Amino acid sequence: MSGNTSDYLRELIRHDQKKRAVKRLRQRTNEGVRSGRAVRARLRSLPD
């Protein structure tokens, strides 16, 4: 990876944000499955 320390830190922050978003999505999906209630979902784009 080329760049400076600031670029590296931004990359780490972005990676952490994506990991947290995936974790939240998995948790909410699991909660929905366990709830047993059928609901109609609307798809939304996740941030890149």
Side-chain angles (χ1 to χ4, degrees), residues 4-17:
N4 59 30
T5 303
S6 181
D7 293 333
Y8 177 69
L9 289 174
R10 275 192 284 274
E11 177 81 19
L12 289 176
I13 290 167
R14 281 189 210 104
H15 178 73
D16 185 63
Q17 289 171 335

Side-chain angles (χ1 to χ4, degrees), residues 9-45:
L9 289 174
R10 275 192 284 274
E11 177 81 19
L12 289 176
I13 290 167
R14 281 189 210 104
H15 178 73
D16 185 63
Q17 289 171 335
K18 286 182 182 182
K19 270 179 62 174
R20 289 172 186 247
V22 168
K23 183 177 178 180
R24 282 193 308 270
L25 178 61
R26 286 185 178 144
Q27 287 173 333
R28 291 177 181 168
T29 300
N30 288 334
E31 289 171 9
V33 168
R34 285 192 304 264
S35 75
R37 293 183 286 145
V39 295
R40 184 170 290 189
R42 293 184 183 183
L43 298 178
R44 291 190 313 187
S45 297

